[in-house]
Amino acid sequence: MKTSEEIYNILKEKFGEEVILNLNTTEPIDAIIEVNPSKINEVSKFLRDSEELKFDTLMLLSGVDDANGTKVKDENEIETIQGGTLSVYYHCHSMEIGHKVALRVATPRENPQVQTVERIWRTADWHEREAFDMFGIKFLNHHDLRRILMPDDWGERYPLRKDYVDPEYYNGIKIPY
Amino acid sequence: MGLLDKEFNDGNIVITKTEDLLNWARLSSLWQLTFGLACCAIEMMAASASHYDLDRFGIMPRPSPRQADVIIVSGTVTLKMASRVKRLYEQMPDPKYVVSMGSCSNSGGPYWNYGYHVLKGVDRVIPVDVFVPGCPPRPEALIEGLLKLQEKIRHEKLTKQTA
Ligand code: SF4
C-alpha cells in the first residue's frame, strides 16, 4: 500500500517536473496528482505496469468544467466563459495491492486535447466518449471518439459546460419549457 | 353501456347500434404497446402484473406497434427518443390512443428546467388522449387513466373522431 505522496514521488522521479506537475493536498478526500495532458498515456501505462504500483483498474474517468476563465456577456446578456481550463480526473485502484490514486489533467478550454488512456484501461473507452460528449474534450488517438449519449446530430454543443445554453429547437422540436 | 338491454327473449340475437358495438369492442380490448422509458415503466409493469391485473380490462401488452391500440408513454422522453416515440406512434394502426404517464412525459417533470436532454411534454410530438399525473403515478392512478380513456372511446362517434 502506498500513499498519494509516495506515488507522487515515484512518478516524479520517473517522469520529471515537466510531466508530473504538482500534488494537490487541499481537497478533503483524495490528494490529486496533476499530470501533463500530453503525457497522461505514458504515466498511466507506468501506473498499470509498474511492479510496486500495479494500478489494474480505472474506477472512474470524468470531465470537469473548472469555469476559471473570464466571464463575458454579449449584447443579449448571454454569458460565455473565455480562457481557463477543462479538466479530466482519473481515479485508479489496484485490486492486488489495494491502494488508490487520483490524477488530474487540465487542458485549455478553447482547444481541449488529452491523450487517450483507452488502450491502457479498456474502461476508459466509453468514459472518454462521455467526457467528449458532455465537455467537448478531444482524446487524441482514441479509436472511436463519437458522442455516446446525446444524439449524433446534436452539433458542437456540450451540455455540461458551465456556459451552456439550450438551443431553441432541435429538429423542429421546441426545447425550452 | 346498455349493449345487452334489448336482448330478444329467444337468445342469440342482440340489437344495438353499430357505433356502440364498435366502441364497446374497441374499449374492451385496448392492447397496449410493450414499451417503457424510465422509472414510471416499473409502475406500469406492476399495473400489468397479478396484483392490479390490467388484463381484466382487456389491456395487455403487445410486442409490435402493428398490433397495438394504445401507447402508454411511461417515463422520461429524451430529445433523442422523441423521434423514436413518434415513429412508434406512426406505425400503430388507427384507431390509436396515447396515454401520457407521469410528470416527465406530461411536462418534463423533474427535468423541466435544467434537463438539457428532456422533451418538455410528449404532446410536443404526438397527440395525447389522457395525462396521468404523478412521479411515478401509482398503478391505481394509471388504471384510472385507462378507465378515463375507455370512457372517452365509449362516446366516440363514427362520423367524427373525438379521440
Ligand atoms: S415522472 Fe418521475 S417516476 Fe416517472 S419517469 Fe419521470 S422521474 Fe421517473
Side-chain angles (χ1 to χ4, degrees):
Chain A
M1 289 266 282
K2 294 219 169 358
T3 64
S4 293
E5 280 78 16
E6 287 165 334
I7 296 168
Y8 173 68
N9 288 331
I10 294 172
L11 289 178
K12 202 153 131 191
E13 200 149 294
K14 166 94 181 154
F15 290 98
E17 298 250 315
E18 261 114 76
V19 178
I20 308 300
L21 303 172
N22 67 33
L23 178 72
N24 178 353
T25 48
T26 57
E27 303 294 327
I29 296 173
D30 286 327
I32 297 168
I33 302 174
E34 197 155 325
V35 182
N36 183 335
S38 58
K39 289 284 185 292
I40 183 70
N41 53 340
E42 293 168 24
V43 175
S44 305
K45 192 158 191 328
F46 175 75
L47 284 175
R48 187 192 65 182
D49 293 342
S50 147
E51 274 306 305
E52 51 181 347
L53 298 176
K54 284 195 176 154
F55 281 105
D56 43 21
T57 321
L58 178 68
M59 296 191 294
L60 182 70
L61 181 156
S62 51
V64 171
D65 184 354
D66 300 316
N68 50 5
T70 44
K71 298 193 169 73
V72 189
K73 272 196 180 150
D74 70 0
E75 61 274 15
N76 303 327
E77 294 289 297
I78 292 170
E79 204 174 78
T80 51
I81 301 174
Q82 288 177 1
T85 52
L86 299 172
S87 307
V88 182
Y89 285 79
Y90 304 78
H91 289 261
C92 310
H93 178 228
S94 168
M95 297 258 191
E96 207 170 321
I97 305 176
H99 55 196
K100 292 188 180 125
V101 71
L103 309 174
R104 167 183 187 237
V105 301
T107 166
R109 188 185 193 87
E110 268 66 44
N111 184 22
Q113 292 189 332
V114 180
Q115 281 290 343
T116 180
V117 297
E118 167 221 4
R119 258 158 264 147
I120 296 155
W121 297 294
R122 293 306 304 269
T123 328
D125 181 354
W126 282 16
H127 287 199
E128 287 183 347
R129 281 178 63 189
E130 190 197 24
F132 167 69
D133 194 359
M134 296 293 149
F135 297 94
I137 298 166
K138 297 195 180 58
F139 290 89
L140 304 174
N141 302 325
H142 189 289
H143 84 286
D144 182 28
L145 196 63
R146 287 176 295 131
R147 285 188 176 276
I148 190 169
L149 296 166
M150 300 303 287
D152 290 331
D153 57 356
W154 191 245
E156 294 255 317
R157 291 190 291 250
Y158 303 108
L160 289 193
R161 288 199 183 184
K162 295 283 184 196
D163 56 354
Y164 175 79
V165 220
D166 267 337
E168 266 310 291
Y169 286 93
Y170 163 69
N171 285 349
I173 307 169
K174 185 163 168 276
I175 296 181
Y177 182 73
Chain B
M1 78 155 292
L3 188 71
L4 301 179
D5 282 356
K6 300 175 198 79
E7 195 180 1
F8 281 110
N9 284 335
D10 53 351
N12 281 346
I13 298 178
V14 172
I15 298 183
T16 183
K17 287 187 282 181
T18 328
E19 204 159 63
D20 286 347
L21 179 68
L22 288 178
N23 287 347
W24 168 78
R26 274 173 196 165
L27 71 89
S28 312
S29 64
L30 273 178
W31 290 356
Q32 69 167 90
L33 181 57
T34 313
F35 161 78
L37 289 177
C39 6
C40 274
I42 304 291
E43 292 300 289
M44 182 193 69
M45 291 178 234
S48 299
S50 51
H51 242 83
Y52 294 95
D53 194 16
L54 275 185
D55 209 354
R56 69 200 150 119
F57 304 108
I59 301 167
M60 58 175 185
R62 300 299 299 180
S64 156
R66 307 278 183 208
Q67 303 170 349
D69 304 300
V70 55
I71 174 170
I72 302 177
V73 185
S74 50
T76 320
V77 187
T78 58
L79 292 166
K80 200 174 181 178
M81 193 69 197
S83 56
R84 277 80 165 172
V85 171
K86 188 156 194 277
R87 176 165 310 171
L88 284 173
Y89 174 75
E90 282 164 355
Q91 284 177 342
M92 287 162 57
D94 270 325
K96 51 189 168 185
Y97 307 95
V98 179
V99 176
S100 162
M101 177 186 185
S103 311
C104 278
S105 119
N106 293 347
S107 67
Y111 315 99
W112 71 278
N113 199 2
Y114 297 107
Y116 55 85
H117 62 303
V118 175
L119 180 69
K120 312 298 187 314
V122 76
D123 54 347
R124 288 188 184 185
V125 290
I126 54 177
V128 176
D129 293 295
V130 178
F131 291 96
V132 181
C135 179
R138 284 190 55 89
E140 290 94 329
L142 178 62
I143 290 172
E144 169 87 23
L146 290 163
L147 292 180
K148 282 270 180 293
L149 179 63
Q150 292 192 334
E151 209 54 49
K152 195 171 178 181
I153 298 171
R154 182 165 293 148
H155 296 111
E156 260 181 15
K157 295 271 173 274
L158 271 182
T159 44
K160 192 165 123 236
Q161 204 188 6
T162 49

